[in-house]
Amino acid sequence: MTYKDFCQLASERFSARDFLNKPIEQNVLESILHTASLAPSWSNTRAYALAIAQGGKKDRIVKAYLDKCNAMLKAKDKSLSESERAQFAQESAPNGDVPVAKPYPDDLKQRSAKLGLALYSHLGIERHDFAARNAHTRRNFEAFGAPVIGFVLARRDFMPFAAMDAGLMLQTLFLAAKDLGVDSCPLGVLATWRDPLDAEFDVPENMELLTGFALGYASDSHTNEFRAEHPKIELL
């Protein structure tokens, strides 16, 4: 592969938000994971792990996330009584390892808001169309219909190096997938709750859930025509 080939591969990878109902063949998935294992790591410690869900296990995880998501949305529904909202808020209280809803610094918040505005505009979702916004939120927790859901975990006793290495591995995984025609989407929202993951996997106590991701084959939906901006890296 030439430098030009690699640049093209990196530019062609995008965050797919609508997947075909088409499974990834096991040998293809194993090849992707093998290439991801070649990512560099701090002193070769590789203090991270993946949990991969397909088939019935994936379906159960999606249902569990949707239950949490629906409770979260009902907790914000002002048509319900205060006591009802309080009950749903309790049911959907975050119990993940990282503060997914932590406020962004002002300058980073502007970047996030710009992305959200561009995406919702592309999807034709108006600012006050709460039904459409909620539907899109649910799609995140459905992994946009992808056949494979993955979870990235890292050793809590080796931070921040474990998280750095996990990021290097995940990008390598995404590029390896794209090279084999498999699309991807990071799903940070899955780190909001641990329950769906813990119900299906025996996760060691010293592992923190950092993020989730989806793997599959992107559909030809208009949704997948969206591309985020990629500004130049800030040089000091």
Side-chain angles (χ1 to χ4, degrees):
M1 176 181 285
T2 66
Y3 176 74
K4 183 177 180 181
D5 292 333
F6 179 78
C7 286
Q8 182 175 352
L9 175 64
S11 66
E12 288 179 352
R13 198 221 74 82
F14 69 100
S15 292
R17 293 179 173 86
D18 191 74
F19 290 87
L20 297 173
N21 183 22
K22 175 183 176 182
I24 300 175
E25 293 184 3
Q26 191 61 29
N27 65 313
V28 173
L29 182 58
E30 289 175 358
S31 180
I32 292 169
L33 295 175
H34 169 70
T35 302
S37 74
L38 304 178
S41 169
W42 185 283
S43 194
N44 205 34
T45 48
R46 304 184 181 277
Y48 53 77
L50 289 178
I52 302 294
Q54 306 176 76
K57 180 174 288 190
K58 184 214 73 170
D59 293 341
R60 291 190 299 271
I61 287 176
V62 165
K63 182 182 183 304
Y65 271 114
L66 282 176
D67 288 344
K68 290 284 189 180
C69 175
N70 288 330
M72 176 184 69
L73 295 175
K74 288 178 180 178
K76 302 175 183 179
D77 186 349
K78 294 183 179 179
S79 69
L80 300 178
S81 69
E82 185 174 342
S83 61
E84 288 176 316
R85 294 200 305 272
Q87 178 62 37
F88 285 122
Q90 183 177 358
E91 292 178 12
S92 61
N95 60 10
D97 301 309
V98 295
V100 173
K102 183 178 180 180
Y104 294 174
D106 288 343
D107 57 330
L108 303 185
K109 184 177 181 180
Q110 292 175 9
R111 297 178 186 177
S112 177
K114 184 178 181 181
L115 172 66
L117 181 62
L119 175 60
Y120 277 52
S121 176
H122 177 82
L123 297 176
I125 300 176
E126 299 293 336
R127 182 180 181 85
H128 298 293
D129 188 349
F130 298 113
R133 285 173 174 263
N134 289 345
H136 182 69
T137 296
R138 291 187 184 93
R139 287 292 288 163
N140 280 267
F141 291 105
E142 293 173 340
F144 301 111
V148 173
I149 296 179
F151 299 88
V152 182
L153 302 107
R155 286 270 297 263
R156 69 174 75 249
D157 58 350
F158 200 58
M159 294 295 187
F161 313 110
M164 178 186 73
D165 287 357
L168 290 169
M169 178 275 297
L170 187 58
Q171 173 66 346
T172 304
L173 185 153
F174 285 166
L175 292 177
K178 189 62 184 178
D179 192 48
L180 293 176
V182 176
D183 296 293
S184 57
C185 185
L187 295 168
V189 293
L190 298 188
T192 305
W193 301 290
R194 277 289 301 261
D195 310 57
L197 174 66
D198 291 334
E200 296 293 337
F201 293 93
D202 185 14
V203 180
E205 291 184 4
N206 66 341
M207 284 286 186
E208 290 189 354
L209 173 59
L210 299 183
T211 188
F213 62 91
L215 288 180
Y217 300 96
S219 73
D220 59 1
S221 167
H222 171 71
T223 300
N224 286 329
E225 295 177 10
F226 178 77
R227 296 293 183 273
E229 291 185 354
H230 293 280
K232 292 181 179 179
I233 295 175
E234 180 178 351
L235 300 178
L236 303 180

